[in-house]
Amino acid sequence: MTGHHLCIIVGANRGFGREIALTYASTITTKKNVKLSLVLIGRNREQLRSTAQSIENDSVHVSTVANFDLGNIDNLDENIGAVSSAIEELIKSNTFSKSILINNAGTLGDLSVTVKDYNWKEAKRHLDVNVTSFVALCSMFLKLIPVSSTNQRVIVNISSLYATQPCAYWGTYCMTKAARDQLIGVIALEEEGNNTKTLNYAPGPLDNEMQALVRNTIGDDDQREKLREGFEKGQLVNMSDSAKKLVNLILSDSYESGSHVDFYDI
Ligand code: NAP
């Protein structure tokens, strides 16, 4: 493997997004003749900086874009503008062989109630964070990175089993993940022949803060019991194991464009 990769990660300050950044960087560092420019996006400036500091070395350069609240639709154009400027700076001074956008950021929505008791304003906020901003980021990436036979474009959606399977109490989560998966499938069709690939990657039930929040807030007694049992028996997936599978998929190019790949499938 040779060349220079550009990798933009949304929601890179903590959790799985941070783990993807660490894994991508450490994988590139072990290879000869490959460089990586990472653009880490999130809300928390300090967390982004600390991630950047733990990653940077001779082969890996990191830029950060902070204060990007995906739910703040009034500021979405401004925030997308800040990300575009950071990417444009990098494009001006580098020639990339692979450019990747990883849409990782995500929220659960209210898992304590069923659809009958939804507050539509909260549901809309959930859609804004997980779908509206996702659309804006995908469009930005496709416009900003020119089609080129020497620079492969890749868009990754961090998906979930619940994109493909409905589950009670997970209404807006299932809905937003399914919507994202479909957009990724559409982009695969629209950009076919443009040296562009897309991927929905379901990382498995991760042993992290989001799973702890699920265990503590899910309104369904049976699910809560099963989730607690799984956690206590150590059945959750290590974030680093899942990030390694995703980075290997991206680097080996061993997936069908527009497909949904689950941690347990590979
Ligand atoms: P997490 O620890 O809760 O991290 C969520 C990430 O999304 C954080 O970086 C968070 O940033 C960001 N985010 C949330 N709301 C945001 C907003 N309004 N604006 C900007 N950023 C926002 O969860 P995770 O497990 O790492 O989740 C990563 C992805 O994996 C999500 O898409 C999730 O649905 C998916 N996934 C997770 C699991 C699991 O078991 N954890 C399973 C399947 C799929 P802040 O720090 O600023 O909140």
Side-chain angles (χ1 to χ4, degrees), residues 10-17 41-44 47 68-72 103-108 125 129-130 158-161 173 177 180 201-211 213 239:
V10 186
N13 55 309
R14 65 182 173 92
F16 191 54
I41 302 168
R43 285 190 285 200
N44 188 307
Q47 286 179 342
F68 191 158
D69 181 351
L70 298 165
N72 187 347
N103 281 299
N104 161 77
T107 51
L108 290 166
R125 159 116 184 132
V129 172
N130 294 279
I158 300 305
S159 183
S160 161
L161 170 66
Y173 188 82
K177 290 298 191 197
R180 288 163 62 129
Y201 176 70
L206 302 170
D207 189 4
N208 69 3
E209 282 176 36
M210 185 179 265
Q211 272 293 327
L213 190 61
M239 283 202 284

mmCIF file of all heavy atoms in Angstrom, residues 10-17 41-44 47 68-72 103-108 125 129-130 158-161 173 177 180 201-211 213 239, ligand 1:
data_model
loop_
_atom_site.group_PDB
_atom_site.id
_atom_site.type_symbol
_atom_site.label_atom_id
_atom_site.label_comp_id
_atom_site.label_asym_id
_atom_site.label_seq_id
_atom_site.Cartn_x
_atom_site.Cartn_y
_atom_site.Cartn_z
ATOM 1 N N VAL A 10 -16.554 12.111 11.608
ATOM 2 C CA VAL A 10 -17.548 12.942 12.305
ATOM 3 C C VAL A 10 -17.908 12.248 13.628
ATOM 4 O O VAL A 10 -18.297 11.082 13.636
ATOM 5 C CB VAL A 10 -18.820 13.115 11.438
ATOM 6 C CG1 VAL A 10 -19.779 14.094 12.107
ATOM 7 C CG2 VAL A 10 -18.458 13.576 10.032
ATOM 8 N N GLY A 11 -17.749 12.998 14.723
ATOM 9 C CA GLY A 11 -17.977 12.408 16.051
ATOM 10 C C GLY A 11 -16.729 11.660 16.489
ATOM 11 O O GLY A 11 -16.786 10.493 16.879
ATOM 12 N N ALA A 12 -15.589 12.385 16.418
ATOM 13 C CA ALA A 12 -14.287 11.727 16.656
ATOM 14 C C ALA A 12 -13.725 12.021 18.038
ATOM 15 O O ALA A 12 -12.637 11.574 18.369
ATOM 16 C CB ALA A 12 -13.292 12.202 15.589
ATOM 17 N N ASN A 13 -14.472 12.750 18.854
ATOM 18 C CA ASN A 13 -13.922 13.185 20.144
ATOM 19 C C ASN A 13 -13.885 12.083 21.195
ATOM 20 O O ASN A 13 -13.062 12.100 22.104
ATOM 21 C CB ASN A 13 -14.729 14.383 20.670
ATOM 22 C CG ASN A 13 -16.202 14.087 20.768
ATOM 23 O OD1 ASN A 13 -16.804 13.625 19.809
ATOM 24 N ND2 ASN A 13 -16.787 14.314 21.922
ATOM 25 N N ARG A 14 -14.817 11.117 21.076
ATOM 26 C CA ARG A 14 -14.856 10.040 22.078
ATOM 27 C C ARG A 14 -15.514 8.822 21.453
ATOM 28 O O ARG A 14 -15.900 8.848 20.277
ATOM 29 C CB ARG A 14 -15.621 10.490 23.339
ATOM 30 C CG ARG A 14 -17.091 10.774 23.084
ATOM 31 C CD ARG A 14 -17.806 11.253 24.340
ATOM 32 N NE ARG A 14 -19.172 11.671 24.033
ATOM 33 C CZ ARG A 14 -20.231 10.871 24.106
ATOM 34 N NH1 ARG A 14 -20.094 9.619 24.507
ATOM 35 N NH2 ARG A 14 -21.433 11.303 23.791
ATOM 36 N N GLY A 15 -15.675 7.757 22.226
ATOM 37 C CA GLY A 15 -16.411 6.578 21.780
ATOM 38 C C GLY A 15 -15.791 5.929 20.540
ATOM 39 O O GLY A 15 -14.578 5.955 20.329
ATOM 40 N N PHE A 16 -16.673 5.388 19.706
ATOM 41 C CA PHE A 16 -16.196 4.599 18.561
ATOM 42 C C PHE A 16 -15.469 5.472 17.536
ATOM 43 O O PHE A 16 -14.501 5.021 16.909
ATOM 44 C CB PHE A 16 -17.396 3.877 17.917
ATOM 45 C CG PHE A 16 -16.998 2.845 16.899
ATOM 46 C CD1 PHE A 16 -16.101 1.834 17.214
ATOM 47 C CD2 PHE A 16 -17.537 2.875 15.619
ATOM 48 C CE1 PHE A 16 -15.724 0.881 16.271
ATOM 49 C CE2 PHE A 16 -17.170 1.925 14.670
ATOM 50 C CZ PHE A 16 -16.260 0.929 15.003
ATOM 51 N N GLY A 17 -15.901 6.717 17.366
ATOM 52 C CA GLY A 17 -15.239 7.609 16.397
ATOM 53 C C GLY A 17 -13.780 7.835 16.759
ATOM 54 O O GLY A 17 -12.890 7.805 15.889
ATOM 55 N N ILE A 41 -13.851 15.762 13.586
ATOM 56 C CA ILE A 41 -14.956 16.716 13.780
ATOM 57 C C ILE A 41 -15.758 16.333 15.026
ATOM 58 O O ILE A 41 -16.008 15.149 15.270
ATOM 59 C CB ILE A 41 -15.886 16.691 12.538
ATOM 60 C CG1 ILE A 41 -15.070 17.045 11.290
ATOM 61 C CG2 ILE A 41 -17.051 17.658 12.699
ATOM 62 C CD1 ILE A 41 -15.804 16.777 9.991
ATOM 63 N N GLY A 42 -16.137 17.344 15.798
ATOM 64 C CA GLY A 42 -16.948 17.064 16.985
ATOM 65 C C GLY A 42 -17.365 18.348 17.661
ATOM 66 O O GLY A 42 -17.141 19.444 17.151
ATOM 67 N N ARG A 43 -17.983 18.184 18.833
ATOM 68 C CA ARG A 43 -18.397 19.384 19.572
ATOM 69 C C ARG A 43 -17.310 19.826 20.537
ATOM 70 O O ARG A 43 -17.064 21.003 20.706
ATOM 71 C CB ARG A 43 -19.669 19.074 20.380
ATOM 72 C CG ARG A 43 -20.894 18.996 19.528
ATOM 73 C CD ARG A 43 -22.153 18.928 20.359
ATOM 74 N NE ARG A 43 -22.365 17.617 20.965
ATOM 75 C CZ ARG A 43 -23.514 17.178 21.398
ATOM 76 N NH1 ARG A 43 -24.574 17.959 21.331
ATOM 77 N NH2 ARG A 43 -23.643 15.962 21.937
ATOM 78 N N ASN A 44 -16.638 18.850 21.173
ATOM 79 C CA ASN A 44 -15.758 19.169 22.293
ATOM 80 C C ASN A 44 -14.310 19.407 21.852
ATOM 81 O O ASN A 44 -13.581 18.479 21.501
ATOM 82 C CB ASN A 44 -15.826 18.017 23.303
ATOM 83 C CG ASN A 44 -15.114 18.341 24.583
ATOM 84 O OD1 ASN A 44 -13.947 18.727 24.571
ATOM 85 N ND2 ASN A 44 -15.798 18.190 25.680
ATOM 86 N N GLN A 47 -11.430 17.524 23.903
ATOM 87 C CA GLN A 47 -11.349 16.080 23.604
ATOM 88 C C GLN A 47 -10.750 15.843 22.218
ATOM 89 O O GLN A 47 -9.945 14.926 22.026
ATOM 90 C CB GLN A 47 -12.739 15.438 23.688
ATOM 91 C CG GLN A 47 -13.239 15.275 25.111
ATOM 92 C CD GLN A 47 -14.645 14.666 25.168
ATOM 93 O OE1 GLN A 47 -15.375 14.671 24.186
ATOM 94 N NE2 GLN A 47 -15.016 14.162 26.319
ATOM 95 N N PHE A 68 -19.010 21.722 16.404
ATOM 96 C CA PHE A 68 -19.980 21.347 15.369
ATOM 97 C C PHE A 68 -21.089 20.532 16.030
ATOM 98 O O PHE A 68 -20.944 19.339 16.240
ATOM 99 C CB PHE A 68 -19.283 20.550 14.263
ATOM 100 C CG PHE A 68 -20.118 20.338 13.006
ATOM 101 C CD1 PHE A 68 -19.511 20.057 11.795
ATOM 102 C CD2 PHE A 68 -21.509 20.412 13.022
ATOM 103 C CE1 PHE A 68 -20.257 19.859 10.629
ATOM 104 C CE2 PHE A 68 -22.264 20.216 11.876
ATOM 105 C CZ PHE A 68 -21.642 19.941 10.681
ATOM 106 N N ASP A 69 -22.197 21.224 16.349
ATOM 107 C CA ASP A 69 -23.366 20.533 16.910
ATOM 108 C C ASP A 69 -24.262 20.126 15.737
ATOM 109 O O ASP A 69 -24.869 20.975 15.079
ATOM 110 C CB ASP A 69 -24.115 21.456 17.871
ATOM 111 C CG ASP A 69 -25.329 20.771 18.495
ATOM 112 O OD1 ASP A 69 -25.695 19.664 18.062
ATOM 113 O OD2 ASP A 69 -25.918 21.352 19.429
ATOM 114 N N LEU A 70 -24.340 18.828 15.492
ATOM 115 C CA LEU A 70 -25.093 18.325 14.332
ATOM 116 C C LEU A 70 -26.591 18.614 14.431
ATOM 117 O O LEU A 70 -27.297 18.595 13.436
ATOM 118 C CB LEU A 70 -24.882 16.815 14.192
ATOM 119 C CG LEU A 70 -23.437 16.365 13.936
ATOM 120 C CD1 LEU A 70 -23.307 14.870 14.196
ATOM 121 C CD2 LEU A 70 -23.018 16.682 12.514
ATOM 122 N N GLY A 71 -27.053 18.889 15.657
ATOM 123 C CA GLY A 71 -28.476 19.151 15.848
ATOM 124 C C GLY A 71 -28.830 20.613 15.658
ATOM 125 O O GLY A 71 -30.008 20.971 15.645
ATOM 126 N N ASN A 72 -27.824 21.464 15.536
ATOM 127 C CA ASN A 72 -28.080 22.896 15.383
ATOM 128 C C ASN A 72 -28.228 23.236 13.893
ATOM 129 O O ASN A 72 -27.277 23.634 13.225
ATOM 130 C CB ASN A 72 -26.936 23.693 16.031
ATOM 131 C CG ASN A 72 -27.235 25.169 16.057
ATOM 132 O OD1 ASN A 72 -28.176 25.626 15.385
ATOM 133 N ND2 ASN A 72 -26.454 25.918 16.814
ATOM 134 N N ASN A 103 -19.070 8.901 8.700
ATOM 135 C CA ASN A 103 -20.164 9.502 9.471
ATOM 136 C C ASN A 103 -20.451 8.601 10.666
ATOM 137 O O ASN A 103 -21.212 7.639 10.564
ATOM 138 C CB ASN A 103 -21.418 9.611 8.595
ATOM 139 C CG ASN A 103 -21.355 10.777 7.650
ATOM 140 O OD1 ASN A 103 -21.264 11.932 8.075
ATOM 141 N ND2 ASN A 103 -21.379 10.495 6.360
ATOM 142 N N ASN A 104 -19.818 8.912 11.783
ATOM 143 C CA ASN A 104 -19.923 8.042 12.952
ATOM 144 C C ASN A 104 -20.897 8.575 13.998
ATOM 145 O O ASN A 104 -21.560 7.801 14.686
ATOM 146 C CB ASN A 104 -18.527 7.887 13.572
ATOM 147 C CG ASN A 104 -18.585 7.411 14.999
ATOM 148 O OD1 ASN A 104 -18.815 6.227 15.257
ATOM 149 N ND2 ASN A 104 -18.415 8.326 15.945
ATOM 150 N N ALA A 105 -20.989 9.912 14.123
ATOM 151 C CA ALA A 105 -21.780 10.495 15.208
ATOM 152 C C ALA A 105 -23.204 9.963 15.176
ATOM 153 O O ALA A 105 -23.776 9.757 14.104
ATOM 154 C CB ALA A 105 -21.787 12.017 15.092
ATOM 155 N N GLY A 106 -23.749 9.737 16.356
ATOM 156 C CA GLY A 106 -25.126 9.246 16.407
ATOM 157 C C GLY A 106 -25.680 9.348 17.814
ATOM 158 O O GLY A 106 -24.934 9.389 18.789
ATOM 159 N N THR A 107 -27.023 9.428 17.901
ATOM 160 C CA THR A 107 -27.675 9.441 19.215
ATOM 161 C C THR A 107 -28.775 8.383 19.237
ATOM 162 O O THR A 107 -29.241 7.944 18.183
ATOM 163 C CB THR A 107 -28.295 10.833 19.512
ATOM 164 O OG1 THR A 107 -29.117 11.216 18.396
ATOM 165 C CG2 THR A 107 -27.225 11.880 19.736
ATOM 166 N N LEU A 108 -29.189 8.013 20.449
ATOM 167 C CA LEU A 108 -30.144 6.914 20.605
ATOM 168 C C LEU A 108 -31.597 7.344 20.469
ATOM 169 O O LEU A 108 -32.449 6.542 20.091
ATOM 170 C CB LEU A 108 -29.973 6.290 21.995
ATOM 171 C CG LEU A 108 -28.697 5.493 22.231
ATOM 172 C CD1 LEU A 108 -28.508 5.239 23.720
ATOM 173 C CD2 LEU A 108 -28.750 4.186 21.455
ATOM 174 N N ARG A 125 -35.700 16.613 16.513
ATOM 175 C CA ARG A 125 -34.311 16.926 16.909
ATOM 176 C C ARG A 125 -33.423 15.705 16.620
ATOM 177 O O ARG A 125 -32.316 15.814 16.121
ATOM 178 C CB ARG A 125 -34.295 17.312 18.401
ATOM 179 C CG ARG A 125 -32.967 17.174 19.069
ATOM 180 C CD ARG A 125 -32.390 18.496 19.562
ATOM 181 N NE ARG A 125 -31.049 18.263 20.102
ATOM 182 C CZ ARG A 125 -29.993 18.978 19.810
ATOM 183 N NH1 ARG A 125 -30.069 19.991 18.994
ATOM 184 N NH2 ARG A 125 -28.829 18.699 20.342
ATOM 185 N N VAL A 129 -30.113 15.591 14.051
ATOM 186 C CA VAL A 129 -28.758 15.159 14.433
ATOM 187 C C VAL A 129 -28.296 13.990 13.557
ATOM 188 O O VAL A 129 -27.158 13.963 13.102
ATOM 189 C CB VAL A 129 -28.713 14.714 15.923
ATOM 190 C CG1 VAL A 129 -27.370 14.091 16.279
ATOM 191 C CG2 VAL A 129 -29.022 15.881 16.846
ATOM 192 N N ASN A 130 -29.205 13.049 13.305
ATOM 193 C CA ASN A 130 -28.780 11.785 12.693
ATOM 194 C C ASN A 130 -29.018 11.671 11.191
ATOM 195 O O ASN A 130 -28.369 10.849 10.545
ATOM 196 C CB ASN A 130 -29.477 10.615 13.414
ATOM 197 C CG ASN A 130 -29.020 10.499 14.846
ATOM 198 O OD1 ASN A 130 -27.966 9.950 15.119
ATOM 199 N ND2 ASN A 130 -29.789 11.070 15.775
ATOM 200 N N ILE A 158 -21.676 4.793 9.884
ATOM 201 C CA ILE A 158 -21.676 3.852 11.010
ATOM 202 C C ILE A 158 -23.147 3.548 11.310
ATOM 203 O O ILE A 158 -23.911 4.401 11.766
ATOM 204 C CB ILE A 158 -20.914 4.400 12.247
ATOM 205 C CG1 ILE A 158 -19.454 4.684 11.872
ATOM 206 C CG2 ILE A 158 -20.983 3.375 13.389
ATOM 207 C CD1 ILE A 158 -18.672 3.516 11.252
ATOM 208 N N SER A 159 -23.503 2.320 10.996
ATOM 209 C CA SER A 159 -24.887 1.886 10.986
ATOM 210 C C SER A 159 -25.190 1.035 12.229
ATOM 211 O O SER A 159 -24.533 1.181 13.273
ATOM 212 C CB SER A 159 -25.105 1.101 9.684
ATOM 213 O OG SER A 159 -26.428 0.695 9.557
ATOM 214 N N SER A 160 -26.149 0.162 12.108
ATOM 215 C CA SER A 160 -26.559 -0.686 13.229
ATOM 216 C C SER A 160 -27.382 -1.842 12.676
ATOM 217 O O SER A 160 -27.955 -1.739 11.580
ATOM 218 C CB SER A 160 -27.426 0.156 14.170
ATOM 219 O OG SER A 160 -28.198 -0.667 15.016
ATOM 220 N N LEU A 161 -27.453 -2.900 13.459
ATOM 221 C CA LEU A 161 -28.357 -4.009 13.113
ATOM 222 C C LEU A 161 -29.777 -3.460 12.933
ATOM 223 O O LEU A 161 -30.557 -3.930 12.098
ATOM 224 C CB LEU A 161 -28.321 -5.027 14.264
ATOM 225 C CG LEU A 161 -29.349 -6.152 14.239
ATOM 226 C CD1 LEU A 161 -29.108 -7.078 13.058
ATOM 227 C CD2 LEU A 161 -29.298 -6.944 15.543
ATOM 228 N N TYR A 173 -34.518 5.535 16.435
ATOM 229 C CA TYR A 173 -33.167 5.007 16.154
ATOM 230 C C TYR A 173 -33.219 4.115 14.914
ATOM 231 O O TYR A 173 -32.440 4.280 13.972
ATOM 232 C CB TYR A 173 -32.639 4.227 17.368
ATOM 233 C CG TYR A 173 -31.185 3.811 17.243
ATOM 234 C CD1 TYR A 173 -30.165 4.701 17.539
ATOM 235 C CD2 TYR A 173 -30.833 2.529 16.814
ATOM 236 C CE1 TYR A 173 -28.826 4.340 17.417
ATOM 237 C CE2 TYR A 173 -29.498 2.148 16.691
ATOM 238 C CZ TYR A 173 -28.499 3.057 17.008
ATOM 239 O OH TYR A 173 -27.179 2.683 16.881
ATOM 240 N N LYS A 177 -31.402 5.087 11.304
ATOM 241 C CA LYS A 177 -30.354 4.203 10.773
ATOM 242 C C LYS A 177 -30.770 3.625 9.414
ATOM 243 O O LYS A 177 -29.945 3.505 8.509
ATOM 244 C CB LYS A 177 -30.037 3.071 11.765
ATOM 245 C CG LYS A 177 -29.305 3.538 13.032
ATOM 246 C CD LYS A 177 -27.954 4.154 12.721
ATOM 247 C CE LYS A 177 -27.102 4.391 13.959
ATOM 248 N NZ LYS A 177 -25.985 5.316 13.738
ATOM 249 N N ARG A 180 -30.313 6.362 6.776
ATOM 250 C CA ARG A 180 -28.903 6.565 6.420
ATOM 251 C C ARG A 180 -28.423 5.434 5.501
ATOM 252 O O ARG A 180 -27.718 5.669 4.516
ATOM 253 C CB ARG A 180 -28.043 6.629 7.698
ATOM 254 C CG ARG A 180 -28.232 7.917 8.479
ATOM 255 C CD ARG A 180 -27.726 7.830 9.911
ATOM 256 N NE ARG A 180 -26.312 7.583 10.049
ATOM 257 C CZ ARG A 180 -25.484 8.314 10.806
ATOM 258 N NH1 ARG A 180 -25.946 9.355 11.487
ATOM 259 N NH2 ARG A 180 -24.217 8.008 10.913
ATOM 260 N N TYR A 201 -21.532 0.249 7.871
ATOM 261 C CA TYR A 201 -20.850 -0.703 8.762
ATOM 262 C C TYR A 201 -21.548 -0.708 10.129
ATOM 263 O O TYR A 201 -21.611 0.318 10.806
ATOM 264 C CB TYR A 201 -19.372 -0.312 8.934
ATOM 265 C CG TYR A 201 -18.641 -1.205 9.918
ATOM 266 C CD1 TYR A 201 -18.361 -2.532 9.600
ATOM 267 C CD2 TYR A 201 -18.256 -0.730 11.167
ATOM 268 C CE1 TYR A 201 -17.723 -3.365 10.514
ATOM 269 C CE2 TYR A 201 -17.605 -1.564 12.080
ATOM 270 C CZ TYR A 201 -17.344 -2.869 11.744
ATOM 271 O OH TYR A 201 -16.704 -3.704 12.645
ATOM 272 N N ALA A 202 -22.074 -1.870 10.513
ATOM 273 C CA ALA A 202 -22.699 -2.027 11.829
ATOM 274 C C ALA A 202 -21.629 -2.580 12.785
ATOM 275 O O ALA A 202 -21.152 -3.703 12.579
ATOM 276 C CB ALA A 202 -23.882 -2.981 11.727
ATOM 277 N N PRO A 203 -21.242 -1.801 13.795
ATOM 278 C CA PRO A 203 -20.057 -2.160 14.591
ATOM 279 C C PRO A 203 -20.269 -3.230 15.658
ATOM 280 O O PRO A 203 -19.317 -3.637 16.311
ATOM 281 C CB PRO A 203 -19.684 -0.825 15.262
ATOM 282 C CG PRO A 203 -20.978 -0.096 15.389
ATOM 283 C CD PRO A 203 -21.807 -0.499 14.197
ATOM 284 N N GLY A 204 -21.517 -3.722 15.822
ATOM 285 C CA GLY A 204 -21.797 -4.675 16.890
ATOM 286 C C GLY A 204 -22.118 -3.929 18.178
ATOM 287 O O GLY A 204 -21.906 -2.716 18.270
ATOM 288 N N PRO A 205 -22.622 -4.659 19.202
ATOM 289 C CA PRO A 205 -22.942 -4.004 20.484
ATOM 290 C C PRO A 205 -21.645 -3.687 21.237
ATOM 291 O O PRO A 205 -20.989 -4.588 21.755
ATOM 292 C CB PRO A 205 -23.783 -5.064 21.213
ATOM 293 C CG PRO A 205 -23.386 -6.364 20.599
ATOM 294 C CD PRO A 205 -22.912 -6.105 19.206
ATOM 295 N N LEU A 206 -21.285 -2.404 21.255
ATOM 296 C CA LEU A 206 -19.967 -2.018 21.755
ATOM 297 C C LEU A 206 -19.965 -1.849 23.274
ATOM 298 O O LEU A 206 -20.942 -1.354 23.852
ATOM 299 C CB LEU A 206 -19.536 -0.705 21.093
ATOM 300 C CG LEU A 206 -19.464 -0.729 19.565
ATOM 301 C CD1 LEU A 206 -19.276 0.686 19.005
ATOM 302 C CD2 LEU A 206 -18.326 -1.640 19.101
ATOM 303 N N ASP A 207 -18.855 -2.199 23.868
ATOM 304 C CA ASP A 207 -18.717 -2.033 25.315
ATOM 305 C C ASP A 207 -18.305 -0.584 25.592
ATOM 306 O O ASP A 207 -17.125 -0.278 25.734
ATOM 307 C CB ASP A 207 -17.647 -3.014 25.823
ATOM 308 C CG ASP A 207 -17.607 -3.039 27.345
ATOM 309 O OD1 ASP A 207 -18.456 -2.366 27.962
ATOM 310 O OD2 ASP A 207 -16.739 -3.732 27.893
ATOM 311 N N ASN A 208 -19.307 0.325 25.599
ATOM 312 C CA ASN A 208 -18.977 1.741 25.787
ATOM 313 C C ASN A 208 -20.138 2.504 26.425
ATOM 314 O O ASN A 208 -21.130 1.916 26.856
ATOM 315 C CB ASN A 208 -18.525 2.370 24.454
ATOM 316 C CG ASN A 208 -19.657 2.501 23.439
ATOM 317 O OD1 ASN A 208 -20.815 2.192 23.706
ATOM 318 N ND2 ASN A 208 -19.305 2.970 22.261
ATOM 319 N N GLU A 209 -19.999 3.839 26.433
ATOM 320 C CA GLU A 209 -20.992 4.695 27.116
ATOM 321 C C GLU A 209 -22.383 4.569 26.513
ATOM 322 O O GLU A 209 -23.381 4.617 27.219
ATOM 323 C CB GLU A 209 -20.560 6.166 26.997
ATOM 324 C CG GLU A 209 -19.475 6.570 27.950
ATOM 325 C CD GLU A 209 -19.038 8.021 27.710
ATOM 326 O OE1 GLU A 209 -19.877 8.869 27.376
ATOM 327 O OE2 GLU A 209 -17.820 8.265 27.858
ATOM 328 N N MET A 210 -22.435 4.430 25.163
ATOM 329 C CA MET A 210 -23.756 4.363 24.532
ATOM 330 C C MET A 210 -24.514 3.123 25.012
ATOM 331 O O MET A 210 -25.704 3.187 25.325
ATOM 332 C CB MET A 210 -23.646 4.363 22.997
ATOM 333 C CG MET A 210 -24.990 4.418 22.329
ATOM 334 S SD MET A 210 -24.957 4.457 20.521
ATOM 335 C CE MET A 210 -25.038 6.185 20.181
ATOM 336 N N GLN A 211 -23.816 1.981 25.115
ATOM 337 C CA GLN A 211 -24.478 0.750 25.576
ATOM 338 C C GLN A 211 -24.906 0.897 27.036
ATOM 339 O O GLN A 211 -25.948 0.381 27.437
ATOM 340 C CB GLN A 211 -23.530 -0.450 25.440
ATOM 341 C CG GLN A 211 -23.586 -1.127 24.093
ATOM 342 C CD GLN A 211 -24.913 -1.820 23.818
ATOM 343 O OE1 GLN A 211 -25.572 -2.336 24.719
ATOM 344 N NE2 GLN A 211 -25.327 -1.810 22.575
ATOM 345 N N LEU A 213 -25.857 3.631 28.396
ATOM 346 C CA LEU A 213 -27.061 4.469 28.350
ATOM 347 C C LEU A 213 -28.280 3.630 27.943
ATOM 348 O O LEU A 213 -29.368 3.788 28.493
ATOM 349 C CB LEU A 213 -26.828 5.623 27.362
ATOM 350 C CG LEU A 213 -27.863 6.736 27.329
ATOM 351 C CD1 LEU A 213 -27.959 7.448 28.681
ATOM 352 C CD2 LEU A 213 -27.503 7.754 26.241
ATOM 353 N N MET A 239 -14.370 -2.036 21.462
ATOM 354 C CA MET A 239 -14.373 -0.993 20.404
ATOM 355 C C MET A 239 -13.185 -1.134 19.467
ATOM 356 O O MET A 239 -13.289 -0.920 18.262
ATOM 357 C CB MET A 239 -14.356 0.402 21.032
ATOM 358 C CG MET A 239 -15.696 0.822 21.571
ATOM 359 S SD MET A 239 -15.810 2.615 21.705
ATOM 360 C CE MET A 239 -14.822 2.904 23.148
HETATM 361 P P1 NAP B 1 -21.172 7.510 21.934
HETATM 362 O O1 NAP B 1 -20.058 7.050 22.792
HETATM 363 O O2 NAP B 1 -22.434 7.983 22.572
HETATM 364 O O3 NAP B 1 -20.604 8.623 20.925
HETATM 365 C C1 NAP B 1 -21.478 9.318 20.094
HETATM 366 C C2 NAP B 1 -20.685 10.308 19.260
HETATM 367 O O4 NAP B 1 -21.627 11.107 18.523
HETATM 368 C C3 NAP B 1 -19.867 11.265 20.118
HETATM 369 O O5 NAP B 1 -18.703 11.637 19.435
HETATM 370 C C4 NAP B 1 -20.814 12.446 20.245
HETATM 371 O O6 NAP B 1 -20.184 13.688 20.526
HETATM 372 C C5 NAP B 1 -21.407 12.485 18.842
HETATM 373 N N1 NAP B 1 -22.631 13.272 18.867
HETATM 374 C C6 NAP B 1 -23.799 12.963 19.462
HETATM 375 N N2 NAP B 1 -24.668 13.984 19.313
HETATM 376 C C7 NAP B 1 -24.018 14.956 18.606
HETATM 377 C C8 NAP B 1 -24.381 16.245 18.145
HETATM 378 N N3 NAP B 1 -25.582 16.774 18.366
HETATM 379 N N4 NAP B 1 -23.456 16.961 17.460
HETATM 380 C C9 NAP B 1 -22.217 16.462 17.236
HETATM 381 N N5 NAP B 1 -21.817 15.245 17.645
HETATM 382 C C10 NAP B 1 -22.715 14.504 18.334
HETATM 383 O O7 NAP B 1 -21.630 6.349 20.988
HETATM 384 P P2 NAP B 1 -20.772 5.337 20.079
HETATM 385 O O8 NAP B 1 -21.073 3.975 20.520
HETATM 386 O O9 NAP B 1 -19.370 5.766 19.982
HETATM 387 O O10 NAP B 1 -21.551 5.550 18.695
HETATM 388 C C11 NAP B 1 -20.908 5.749 17.467
HETATM 389 C C12 NAP B 1 -21.830 5.257 16.362
HETATM 390 O O11 NAP B 1 -21.956 3.838 16.446
HETATM 391 C C13 NAP B 1 -23.246 5.821 16.435
HETATM 392 O O12 NAP B 1 -23.697 6.162 15.155
HETATM 393 C C14 NAP B 1 -24.050 4.658 16.978
HETATM 394 O O13 NAP B 1 -25.417 4.698 16.599
HETATM 395 C C15 NAP B 1 -23.319 3.483 16.347
HETATM 396 N N6 NAP B 1 -23.536 2.212 17.033
HETATM 397 C C16 NAP B 1 -23.162 2.084 18.324
HETATM 398 C C17 NAP B 1 -23.378 0.872 18.958
HETATM 399 C C18 NAP B 1 -22.994 0.667 20.398
HETATM 400 O O14 NAP B 1 -23.212 -0.427 20.919
HETATM 401 N N7 NAP B 1 -22.418 1.661 21.080
HETATM 402 C C19 NAP B 1 -23.956 -0.207 18.269
HETATM 403 C C20 NAP B 1 -24.328 -0.027 16.936
HETATM 404 C C21 NAP B 1 -24.099 1.195 16.333
HETATM 405 P P3 NAP B 1 -20.375 14.440 21.975
HETATM 406 O O15 NAP B 1 -19.272 13.920 22.829
HETATM 407 O O16 NAP B 1 -20.230 15.887 21.641
HETATM 408 O O17 NAP B 1 -21.724 14.071 22.499
#
